[in-house]
Amino acid sequence: MLGCLLSGTTLAEAPTAQSLLELAGRQAAKEPGRGREAVPTGLLLAAMAQATALVAPGGLPFDGAAEEWVRERLFEHLEAELAGLPSRPGRARRDAWEKLARQAMTPQLAEAVLDAAFALPPVVRKGDVPRVEGAWTQVTQLEGSESFALRKAVVVEEIGSAGTANGLVDPGEWVRLELTFTNTTKLPWFSTTAMPRVQGCAWVDPTRGAVLGEAGPGGEAGVALWLFVPADCEGPSSLRLQLADTHRGNPPRAITLEVRPMDFQRPRVTSVRLDSDALGSSDGSERDRLAPGHRFELVADVGVPGDLVSAVLTNWSPPEPAKPLFTSLTQRNEPAVPVGAGQFAAADDLDGETVPTSVWSAVAQGEALEPWLVTPAPGRLWFALDTAVTLSAPLPAPPVLPLPARARPGAPRPVPLPVAAAPVVSSSAVPPAAVVSQLVQQYVSLVPHSVARERPTAVVAASGYEVLFDRDGFSKAWDALTASPVPDAPPARPTARYVTRSYVAVAAASAKRVERERPPDREPPPPAPVVVAKPRLVQLDLGGGLSFFGTLPSPFQPFLWLGQELSAFPTVGVRAFIGPHVVGLIGGHLATFPYAAGVASYLEVSGELGVGYRFALKPFTVTPYGGLLGRLRSHSLVGSAAMIGAVLGANVRVAVTSAFGLALDMGVPLAMGGPSFSATITPPSLGETVSGVGFRATLNLSFVF
């Protein structure tokens, strides 16, 4: 359903900038769930419209199968971008969402996805980076200069395509404008809120206010805002900043600026021709697709409307994985030839030669080319056509020289005055009348006529005057003044260069799918016999340690008893655990202690019979257990006494080998009583001297079998 909705999407049908920014704001305010964040339909619709516009109509048609394939690539890219956005609602998440929305509504995101999908090189190559020379005035102030005079307007960030990073306001891109104003009043102004409004084809979010910082008299402060210029935007737009919360400085109510985007429209491919490049066969009548083993030429004409276009250059780029399909590819970077009405004919074509059929079929099986060149694919190869366009601003009109005024009839003739130096005029302009007049005066002289004296007292006699003109001298001076004029250097002409990309689908021969030969199936080897290790059922521990009992010295015979309240008796024992998990226990211990230096000794023999459970924590086993305890205690002077009690304990074993290990056994014997004297004997009984409850710890050598 979504594929049908996006099929044939055009820029005119794409969501507006306002609707996409509102969508980004709603999505940013929500916290995504645990799963993947869903791709909004409006975002995918905008990106698909841009991708459709980038496919040149001069190549193969952008049919349903190709549209669906591109849509899937766009969806995957947007899904990956959304997965990387901040998850917590806030400023960072909102900025990231808005940036993604701006990229989707301009060619920037679509170009990145199509380049990766078609395995094409980046659009900007060495020597083709968009550049700007000279000054382009795009922002002027119309209102509010008596208090807030525009000092400068700078594009600090751009999101778009062709003119990205050239510092100009171009159609089809988002620009972040940084406007700097000068305080022209005699009073300082304080923080001022500026709410933007636009009249014209450009668009700015009217809900995003900006704060104009503080500035004293003659100081500067600025604001920054995002401005969107649609691709079909022509003519200036009026940007009005409504001011509020201003104190002092007598500021105006608003600042009105005129923003003039560049007069640039994205080039469109008007025709694509594939010809055979053979002797006597270059008219395209014998070749309608790329095929193995032939020479060809690929040429495209473009249309670039606009009065400022001064040069157009085209360049073809094949997919990187497709380069092995060609034995040669050559083209000259010659400027296209203007043919009128904004049309430019290519000055040169892409000449190439393809590989033989066997190589063609092998290369076509590659992962990047298989969707387009292997049957049942219709057979097409995607080329990138980069068009570099240079815009030049018009030259200023030459100054008009004033014409010399004609002498009125009857006007008095000017009195000639001597000129001391020749006038200096520009060598590139015709000398005006005043300069010529002064030059003539330098070579005109008044000469008197001498005659004989009629009176004896006269010294000199003259009958009249003649005006003499030095023709030779004037000719030389005139030639020096006007000969070999050196023209003045023409004024700098601002230029801007753009590089745009179109995607051209060229028909190509399909290759048959090569089924890779599978090695013959071998009979699987018989399964190895499963050897089940027999469980080891018996754990035998041999070792020794200490038993601790409470003792009480006899007040009657202190030399016969221990002198501490807690005494340790050396102990040796043997114990067997029988069973895999639930185990039976049988064992015995011997504890002895000589005291009174050969006079008497104490001996205890015990036997245990119980049950436990073994826990395996490799390489350890832990076996808690409990059971009956039979104990025989004897004293060399008093006699022996037997008793029945209980024992609680735990056995911790670590394996050293499969059959040998070390075991620590800890138990609490519970058995009261002990050997005693007869009632007639004065010393108290041993049972009253040695406690029936104690603690036993032994370290054992442990064997399992």
Side-chain angles (χ1 to χ4, degrees), residues 507-528:
S510 297
K512 293 183 179 181
R513 186 177 302 277
V514 177
E515 297 295 340
R516 295 175 175 83
E517 295 183 0
R518 298 178 56 185
D521 295 335
R522 298 179 180 178
E523 294 184 0

Side-chain angles (χ1 to χ4, degrees), residues 106-447:
T106 65
Q108 182 168 328
L109 185 143
E111 281 186 359
V113 173
L114 292 179
D115 283 347
F118 299 147
L120 290 165
V123 63
V124 176
R125 289 173 296 279
K126 185 177 180 181
D128 288 339
V129 179
R131 61 176 182 267
V132 176
E133 297 176 356
W136 292 84
T137 303
Q138 293 187 277
V139 181
T140 56
Q141 187 169 9
L142 303 179
E143 181 185 4
S145 59
E146 66 275 9
S147 297
F148 293 84
L150 180 64
R151 172 68 177 83
K152 61 181 178 180
V154 180
V155 175
V156 295
E157 187 175 353
E158 300 170 69
I159 297 177
S161 174
T164 298
N166 63 0
L168 296 175
V169 181
D170 297 311
E173 70 178 11
W174 281 88
V175 294
R176 184 167 175 82
L177 271 178
E178 189 175 88
L179 305 171
T180 304
F181 297 93
T182 301
N183 181 3
T184 57
T185 68
K186 296 181 180 180
L187 296 174
W189 74 56
F190 305 125
S191 297
T192 303
T193 302
M195 302 300 295
R197 298 287 188 277
V198 168
Q199 292 182 349
C201 53
W203 185 83
V204 68
D205 190 350
T207 64
R208 292 290 181 88
V211 177
L212 192 65
E214 301 181 357
E220 294 182 353
V223 295
L225 51 89
W226 278 102
L227 181 74
F228 176 62
V229 184
D232 57 353
C233 184
E234 296 181 6
S237 296
S238 176
L239 173 60
R240 183 178 178 87
L241 301 178
Q242 194 71 32
L243 304 180
D245 303 329
T246 303
H247 306 281
R248 303 181 70 177
N250 190 27
R253 297 180 181 176
I255 302 174
T256 304
L257 307 174
E258 184 182 69
V259 181
R260 293 181 298 278
M262 295 293 292
D263 185 14
F264 172 76
Q265 298 183 33
R266 189 178 184 89
R268 64 185 185 280
V269 180
T270 56
S271 68
V272 176
R273 299 182 302 278
L274 178 65
D275 296 343
S276 294
D277 192 11
L279 183 61
S281 301
S282 293
D283 58 358
S285 59
E286 298 182 3
R287 186 65 61 186
D288 58 354
R289 62 175 182 166
L290 292 174
H294 85 284
R295 298 175 62 185
F296 68 92
E297 54 187 21
L298 186 62
V299 64
D301 299 332
V302 296
V304 189
D307 298 331
L308 303 183
V309 178
S310 60
V312 175
L313 189 70
T314 58
N315 184 77
W316 290 95
S317 296
E320 291 292 337
K323 287 184 177 179
L325 295 176
F326 308 102
T327 57
S328 66
L329 282 174
T330 58
Q331 61 182 331
R332 295 177 314 208
N333 291 327
E334 296 291 338
V337 180
V339 294
Q343 300 298 313
F344 289 81
D348 191 29
D349 52 13
L350 174 66
D351 297 316
E353 186 172 356
T354 55
V355 295
T357 303
S358 58
V359 180
W360 180 281
S361 179
V363 175
Q365 307 295 323
E367 181 180 356
L369 300 180
E370 184 178 0
W372 309 105
L373 292 180
V374 176
T375 55
R380 68 179 66 192
L381 200 59
W382 289 95
F383 281 80
L385 180 62
D386 297 330
T387 305
V389 180
T390 302
L391 301 185
S392 299
L395 290 173
V400 179
L401 297 176
L403 295 176
R406 293 185 178 181
R408 298 190 304 273
R413 299 179 64 181
V415 178
L417 296 175
V419 180
V424 179
V425 298
S426 173
S427 60
S428 62
V430 177
V435 174
V436 178
S437 175
Q438 293 178 8
L439 187 63
V440 171
Q441 291 180 32
Q442 293 185 62
Y443 295 94
V444 176
S445 60
L446 188 63
V447 180

Side-chain angles (χ1 to χ4, degrees), residues 632-692:
L632 176 65
R633 288 178 170 176
S634 65
H635 192 274
S636 59
L637 299 179
V638 178
S640 302
M643 67 216 72
I644 297 296
V647 63
L648 297 175
N651 183 278
V652 180
R653 181 181 186 275
V654 59
V656 178
T657 66
S658 60
F660 172 73
L662 298 176
L664 175 64
D665 191 273
M666 297 168 289
V668 179
L670 304 174
M672 303 304 296
S676 61
F677 298 98
S678 64
T680 58
I681 299 178
T682 303
S685 69
L686 186 63
E688 298 172 351
T689 305
V690 180
S691 172

